[in-house]
Amino acid sequence: MVSSLTRDEATTRAEQIRVVDYRVTVDLSGAEDPQCATFGSEVTVRFTADEGAESFIDFVHESVSSVELNGELLDVDDVVEGSRIRLPGLGEANELRVVGRALYSRSGEGLHRYVDPQDGSVYIYTQYEPADCRRVFAVFEQPDLKAEFHFTVLTPQGWLAASNGEHLGAQPSDDGDVPGALSHEFAPTQRISSYITTILAGPYARVTDEWTGTDPQGETVSIPLALYCRRALAEAMDAEEIFALTKQGLDFFPKLFAFAYPFGKYEQAFVPEYNLGAMENPGMVTFTEDYLFPSGATRAQRAGRANTLMHEMSHMWFGDLVTMRWWDDLWLKESFAEFMGAYACVHATGYTDAWVTFALARKEWAYRQDQLRTTHPIVADIVDLEAARQNFDGITYAKGASVLKQLVAFVGEESFMDACRAYFRRFAFRNTDLSDFLDVLDEACDHDVRAWAQLWLHTTGVPVLSLDTPGSSADDAAAPAGASLTQAASPLRP
Ligand SMILES: [Zn+2]
């Protein structure tokens, strides 16, 4: 059984422990055998804790063969409870090693294995948000326990592998399920949350390029770029346009945010059977392969892809560099990325009508959803992971972005961007909640942003406006002498 995780449990665990780093080995060397339902998973995690505390780590496994805490083997039958492993008697500095096997996924959650019906090739990718990293290795699965991750991935011969960090090299290894596998090493990540770590492996087609420009300090920098898709789609991958957009984004965001791109390389993979549009794994963004167009594309389709590409790139700052403490503040990354997707298209690309599309499609989605009984405030009350899963919706994305557009008009574009710049400077590689963003916003402008936040972020429903034009009728061609606009809904909003 897969346990949920409640906000209260996550709060307690974050008070108890601080994670230093993970060393993770995932053995995909048997992935080409369809009879092989599981892969090997080994993790060594170093973390500090309150002396004598008891906590737990999450692992949705097929089997756990050993749990070793601070040099002592624990009784697996005693400490493994469903998808949790109990960690009794912690010290101030701890080293935990968990070895087991986990299941290949066909649902797009965790480590997904796809067999291409066209040529029989096997392709692997991961998708974790909000909490499916634990389907691949033992991990403290909550956004505010950031850590450095070191990945090693064993694959069959002839496969590529990619992850958040730079690929350091691949060597033959006999440590895997299948002898003579390739062992791929990756550079350690920055301190990031587990839900944005990722692994890509398979005989993917790969195209590379490089962005060179100046960082906000005026230094010349280069960022390696790569695109991946399955080989059967390689001809449909229009690398020229995708790289051009990527470079426009890398020209734009670091300057806008006065913060250099923090994750080294920028790779983008188009993957099959993907449950969503895209995912902002730092250094290695995944997209649905529906964003490749083997039969040609309309301008609207290409504009939609450009918008998603910019949305994901803005997440490198909003979400990846600075991350919400818990899923209540999912809007702190999704509403902002939705806003920035359109904003960057207008200011940095040829898709300058992005706000028109936003108003006609995305905002319309928000209006509809906000009038249903299932609506919720933009800042939601997310008591556990199941609630978090339900929150990726028209309110968090489209209403949140609509309200941000209004906020930018209210406080002024320059003040809003000043607040963003202060936010990244102050909270880089850390976690935040709404009050942290309101603090920087308050410092950047003279408006009562907390009253605004109370009325727009903590309430539901659309304002209802009526226009009263005394003395005129519908067929009266002349303009009325006077008119009054009344807001009827509760609460009254600025
Ligand atoms: Zn997003």
Side-chain angles (χ1 to χ4, degrees), residues 67-124:
V67 178
E68 187 181 329
L69 179 61
N70 298 327
E72 194 184 324
L73 281 171
L74 304 184
D75 178 356
V76 169
D77 292 334
D78 180 39
V79 294
V80 177
E81 294 173 349
S83 58
R84 292 182 177 185
I85 301 173
R86 227 159 35 78
L87 305 173
L90 293 173
E92 269 178 33
N94 302 278
E95 185 167 310
L96 170 74
R97 183 162 176 271
V98 178
V99 182
R101 298 192 72 81
L103 285 161
Y104 289 107
S105 160
R106 277 308 304 281
S107 66
E109 305 157 292
L111 193 130
H112 186 88
R113 176 168 60 174
Y114 173 81
V115 182
D116 194 327
Q118 251 172 293
D119 58 11
S121 298
V122 173
Y123 294 95
I124 304 266

Side-chain angles (χ1 to χ4, degrees), residues 153-171:
V153 180
L154 275 66
T155 71
Q157 288 286 344
W159 277 28
L160 296 180
S163 183
N164 307 90
E166 184 196 346
H167 188 264
L168 299 176
Q171 293 186 345

Side-chain angles (χ1 to χ4, degrees), residues 115-160:
V115 182
D116 194 327
Q118 251 172 293
D119 58 11
S121 298
V122 173
Y123 294 95
I124 304 266
Y125 62 85
T126 60
Q127 173 59 35
Y128 297 155
E129 192 176 27
D132 287 324
C133 182
R134 59 191 174 144
R135 292 178 188 276
V136 181
F137 57 92
V139 62
F140 296 106
E141 185 84 281
Q142 59 187 77
D144 58 343
L145 286 175
K146 291 190 172 186
E148 218 178 85
F149 291 82
H150 303 239
F151 287 108
T152 302
V153 180
L154 275 66
T155 71
Q157 288 286 344
W159 277 28
L160 296 180

Side-chain angles (χ1 to χ4, degrees), residues 360-436:
L360 293 176
R362 305 294 280 188
K363 196 174 178 189
E364 161 67 22
W365 177 35
Y367 278 132
R368 260 184 291 125
Q369 200 169 340
D370 206 13
Q371 293 173 79
L372 300 176
R373 291 181 62 177
T374 48
T375 192
H376 58 83
I378 294 169
V379 177
D381 180 27
I382 303 297
V383 294
D384 62 16
L385 287 178
E386 200 37 57
R389 233 178 273 283
Q390 303 301 325
N391 202 30
F392 292 81
D393 62 7
I395 300 299
T396 300
Y397 284 72
K399 185 183 179 186
S402 305
V403 160
L404 279 182
K405 193 160 194 307
Q406 187 213 103
L407 176 66
V408 172
F410 176 50
V411 302
E413 193 165 320
E414 217 25 60
S415 295
F416 179 80
M417 295 305 169
D418 277 346
C420 294
R421 293 186 268 265
Y423 184 70
F424 297 130
R425 265 199 316 275
R426 195 170 304 171
F427 300 108
F429 301 107
R430 292 166 57 196
N431 295 81
T432 54
D433 51 33
L434 170 61
S435 64
D436 296 315

Side-chain angles (χ1 to χ4, degrees), residues 129 278-280 311-312 315 333-335 337-338 392 397:
E129 192 176 27
M279 182 66 207
E280 67 267 21
H311 173 121
E312 302 309 325
H315 271 315
K333 73 180 184 76
E334 290 310 340
S335 307
E338 177 93 9
F392 292 81
Y397 284 72

Side-chain angles (χ1 to χ4, degrees), residues 225-279:
L225 309 178
L227 302 176
Y228 300 82
C229 70
R230 59 191 169 93
R231 281 185 301 194
L233 271 177
E235 276 182 26
M237 189 158 67
D238 42 343
E240 204 177 317
E241 169 150 356
I242 301 168
F243 279 139
L245 287 165
T246 306
K247 291 173 185 177
Q248 287 171 328
L250 290 170
D251 286 335
F252 181 69
F253 284 119
K255 284 199 176 70
L256 180 68
F257 296 149
F259 200 109
Y261 172 68
F263 298 110
K265 66 182 172 69
Y266 201 85
E267 302 189 307
Q268 298 167 100
F270 295 85
V271 297
E273 297 184 329
Y274 203 46
N275 284 338
L276 51 156
M279 182 66 207

